[in-house]
Amino acid sequence: MMPEDEDRSSDIEDISTQFKKESQSQSLKKTAFIKERSTLLNEASHHQERKSSNQTDETNAIMDILQPTSSSDINRGENKGKNILFTKTIPTDARTVPEPETFPISSLETTEMSIDLLANEKIEKVSPQVSENSEEKLVSDSDLFTVNLEAHGLQEFPKDILKVKYVKYLILSKNQIRSFQGADTADLLGLEILSLQENGLTSFPSEIQLLHNLRILNVSHNQISHIPKEISELGNITQLLLNNNCIKSFPFSGLENLKKLENLNLGKNNLGHIDTLPSLKSLRVLNLEYNQLIIFPKVLCFLPNLLSLNLTGNLIGSLPKEIRELKCLEKLTLDHNKLTFLAVEMFQLFNIKELRLADNILEAISYKIENFRELRVLILDNNLLKDIPEKITNCRMLEYLSLSDNQLTELPKNIQKLRNLRKLHVNRNNMMKITDMISHLSNIRSLEFSGNTILYVPIEIKNCRKITKVGLDYNKIVYFPVGLCALESLYYLSFNGNFISEIPVDISFSKQLLHFELNGNKLLIFSEHLCSLIHLNHLDLGKNLIKTIPPSVSNMVSLRVLILSCNKFETFPTELCALEYLQMLDISENQLQKIPSEIRNLKRIQKLNVSSNQFMYFPVNICQLQSLEELYISQINGRKLTRLPEDLTNMTQLKLLDISYNAIKEIPGNIGKLRNLVSFNAVNNHISYLPLSFLSLKALQQLNLKGNNLTDLPSGIYHLSSLKEINFDDNPLLRPPMEICKGKQLYTITHYLQKADERDALSH
């Protein structure tokens, strides 16, 4: 998956929120629902549009509660390749960074939510356990129809549960239920929604064919290899989720009775071909992503009302001419295939609103793309495109255009005609300039041109008044573009990897800026103009030539994250100690020799990276930071520390401690006081034993002691019951021997030590 992918899906979700409004009259009729007599269903209803049928209302309520996520819409992001050692956490009291204005895509968006409904559900549990005394509580006081027994460790069907009145929605996900043995068939008949996701099923429970009232069935994330033809007995089914199984063939010929089927998810199976398929007139959404399809199945072209077709992650090399028959299609997803060209007939899909063709082998796009007059989203990332046809500017409804990872040298000359364009991403191409015409894109919100050879940004960009996010990393920009400083909505600005040596005074007008990155430039000073950014909460000035910090940095009262790694600091700038709300500080890879006592003023600091500096001794003043949760003092490129102070344990909130690549010989005897420690990394030191108190670290989950001088491990290591990841490689271990530790399994190690203790006891 390309680095761009993560951000792209996030962008799709943004764009995906707008077109619902304009599509209320379309055939999906996906509506939100009349309030159920329960708080749970009430909360579910606020995202959907109204529909007259109470039955559909209840279904939609459950669907919304379950918070679906499609695998093709996984968050995809622009990975800029930075190595910040902080773990990914959000500061607890940090200012929330707003996203650019959101705008979704058509009525099919609601339908697509349905397809993965139960696939990744997040339902509040109605009951913590099943017992005779608690069964009644599984149904709320207001006659809630849902029973949720997700992840209850059940191995048998809870046969008495359906004796409870009004149960229509039964969630049995993440258990080990293999059959409905013992259940009264009559009690099953009222079920309308059933989830058996993640139960280790290898076949369909035969009783399912009797559930004639079933409208939604989720048997995804199992090991089912065969679907019986009896599935055609489910005449009321509207949503069938079979994704993430081992299905090689599907009884498409027996589906004529599924006249109400709207959503069919067969993604992430082993389907190699689809030869027959009845005309499922109600089918709106079909997901076949990540199968083994080499040829685009022609039979798919004759689904008369299909709105969304997902064929991501197959091996399809071309499209059939019959694709023109998909007259209603609004969304076509063909990312990660082997397409070398697009059949000209595809451009007869006049209703298409979202077209995703990332990660193929396309060398050209036909001028007939102008036929897509309803197109809102066009994703062409990671192809072999050298130019984009001028006719694309006739797609006047286009809102999101992503062309990253191609070989483009310029944009269409009349790009200004795309007046509705809100997101334009052209990362990692061969662009040498940004056209002046961009100033006419009055609705543009997000502009990304990272990874090109751009020398400057035209001053006319100041006319793009609605821009909120600009990414221009890794170009050849020497002078900071002052035109950006006139943009009153700009909150996110990234110029990593350029050649900027000076910050203009104009930046002080960008007081709304929240996120600013200038990593890897040529800055000689921490400009006082930056100190005017009183709302800024993230500032990255790593890999520059900065030596000092101005006193006015104290004006940056909103700053939560500050990155100053790889600069020229020889002494710790005490001016930073005035940033009382700072939560993350990275000042690694400098020339610091000590940390001043004033650091205690950073009372909200949670993450501190002082790795690869020139400390003579462990900077004991750090131990005053009682709010600290993560400390990195690895010295892979710095002067090696030889000991840790006992005061280390004053940092009682510490969850992560990285002392790797030092010359430390022993761990403090009171280390056990760090009750919250989850991760301990001491790779490549000289540690020869673990103190007894180490066994008190009951929260410890990751332990890496690779490359030390350990000869034996304490027998009581089994007390560290939370350990999930351990590494004792490259130690001269005798007890247990290294062969026992190579598997990195705590059980194996403790088992050996217990047996060794028993042998020792007998010998004495």
Side-chain angles (χ1 to χ4, degrees), residues 713 715 734-737 749-764:
L713 299 178
S715 299
L734 300 173
R735 188 181 183 277
I749 294 171
T750 56
H751 182 71
Y752 176 90
L753 292 172
Q754 286 171 356
K755 293 294 183 183
D757 286 347
E758 290 173 7
R759 288 194 299 271
D760 291 346
L762 289 173
S763 65
H764 286 86

Side-chain angles (χ1 to χ4, degrees), residues 82 84 496 516-519 538-542 544 561 563:
K82 290 179 295 184
I84 299 175
N496 298 318
F516 195 11
E517 298 185 15
L518 280 160
N519 191 293
H538 183 115
L539 177 59
D540 186 351
L541 295 174
N544 279 282
V561 177
I563 299 168

Side-chain angles (χ1 to χ4, degrees), residues 463-490:
N463 296 321
C464 301
R465 296 289 183 182
K466 295 181 180 179
I467 283 188
T468 61
K469 181 179 181 181
V470 173
L472 284 160
D473 299 331
Y474 306 106
N475 279 285
K476 297 187 179 298
I477 298 169
V478 175
Y479 299 105
F480 190 92
V482 294
L484 294 173
C485 300
L487 300 174
E488 296 179 355
S489 297
L490 186 66

Side-chain angles (χ1 to χ4, degrees), residues 364-386:
I365 299 295
S366 169
Y367 70 91
K368 291 191 176 182
I369 197 170
E370 68 174 337
N371 292 346
F372 294 156
R373 299 302 172 97
E374 296 295 320
L375 191 64
R376 267 70 164 178
V377 176
L378 178 59
I379 309 296
L380 292 167
D381 298 349
N382 196 28
N383 279 283
L384 302 174
L385 302 173
K386 294 182 178 178

Side-chain angles (χ1 to χ4, degrees), residues 681-696:
N681 183 359
V683 169
N684 283 26
N685 278 278
H686 300 156
I687 298 167
S688 58
Y689 72 97
L690 298 179
L692 185 62
S693 71
F694 196 90
L695 303 177
S696 299

Side-chain angles (χ1 to χ4, degrees), residues 54-68:
N54 283 337
Q55 186 182 44
T56 303
D57 294 339
E58 294 165 7
T59 303
N60 285 344
I62 293 295
M63 284 156 44
D64 203 42
I65 295 168
L66 295 177
Q67 295 294 323

Side-chain angles (χ1 to χ4, degrees), residues 530-589:
L530 291 174
C531 300
S532 299
L533 304 178
I534 59 174
H535 295 299
L536 196 69
N537 64 36
H538 183 115
L539 177 59
D540 186 351
L541 295 174
K543 295 184 182 177
N544 279 282
L545 305 168
I546 300 169
K547 295 181 179 180
T548 60
I549 302 292
S552 53
V553 72
S554 61
N555 296 331
M556 304 179 78
V557 293
S558 298
L559 201 60
R560 301 297 189 269
V561 177
L562 178 58
I563 299 168
L564 295 169
S565 56
C566 301
N567 274 281
K568 300 295 180 181
F569 293 103
E570 294 181 0
T571 59
F572 187 96
T574 56
E575 292 82 1
L576 295 179
C577 300
L579 298 171
E580 60 178 301
Y581 291 99
L582 194 66
Q583 295 183 341
M584 297 182 183
L585 174 61
D586 184 350
I587 196 166
S588 61
E589 300 200 49

